[in-house]
Amino acid sequence: MPELPEVEIVVRRLDSALRDATVESALAPGMKVMKTFDPPLEALVGKAVTGVRRTGKMPIVDFGDFSLLIHLMSAGRLRLFDKRASLKDRASRVLIRLEDGRELRLREFGTKQRAWAKLLPTEALAEDEAVARLGPEAWPAPPLEEFAALIDQPRHLHPLLRHQGDIAGIGRSWVDEILWEARLSPFKKGSELSAEEVERLHAALHVLGDAIEHYEKTIGEELPDKLPMPLQVHKHEGESCPRCGATIEAVYFSEHQTNYCPAEQTGGRVLKDRRLSRLLK
Ligand SMILES: [Zn+2]
């Protein structure tokens, strides 16, 4: 799932490629994708793209006084194509056709239709519930005091950091990288952190900025289907920790997993696989 660094590089590339392009037509072949109906998508016809940006993990395409807010969920991808899609492309959810022949396409892979879009007057964007509920952006990191206050909750760091209402932009991949960078257990509670640990966690958010820099260097004008994510621990179970050499471990949940270095993050303890322990009960 695209997280803050991945969405950031996508919107940067789309912004430079799409600015001033004029919309010829706009369609939503995905039956359930549009969560708004007024203004209708057709209201974009004749309008020019004035910018592409993001808030948290959500891309926003601006067309003058209208904005298309997109939630990619886990399998949505936003890309620009030189040619128009066949309407038989079953992955298509939203197609913005441009007068110059190109097409901005929201596609979604897999069987579940979860990605969505809303066309809103730009002035109403900040009040939209999906935007209004977001906490501060994880990168650039909020000031330390603000971060310390939002992290001071009796909840495990792994879900806490991924909760967009507390801090926006972090998902299942980057949370593992941030906690590894900070040398903190995913199962430590926010309210249990010492002041020094809070500082370490706050400083560790730089991995998001580093990832954006990595993408800036490695990705050209054309966005690849799959971004080369510079992950060190996430999904690296069984491999050696790049920092200390201990074996990276994993805890599996029904839809995701967390990876960590036991030597540096959990005082040498290998955490129980909760899926396995539930089965054994
Ligand atoms: Zn290690």
Side-chain angles (χ1 to χ4, degrees), residues 180 241 243-246 261 264:
W180 177 77
C241 168
R243 208 162 43 203
C244 76
C261 168
E264 296 181 291

Side-chain angles (χ1 to χ4, degrees), residues 52-73:
V52 186
R53 57 194 166 114
R54 64 162 186 88
T55 182
K57 298 189 271 189
M58 294 182 285
I60 298 166
V61 186
D62 292 314
F63 303 86
D65 47 3
F66 287 139
S67 295
L68 187 68
L69 173 71
I70 296 165
H71 200 308
L72 301 165
M73 298 303 289

Side-chain angles (χ1 to χ4, degrees), residues 259-279:
N259 292 92
Y260 63 97
C261 168
E264 296 181 291
Q265 290 176 258
T266 57
R269 274 183 314 127
V270 173
L271 304 168
K272 268 192 194 149
D273 183 335
R274 302 196 157 200
R275 188 179 54 174
L276 204 62
S277 42
R278 205 177 305 130
L279 287 174

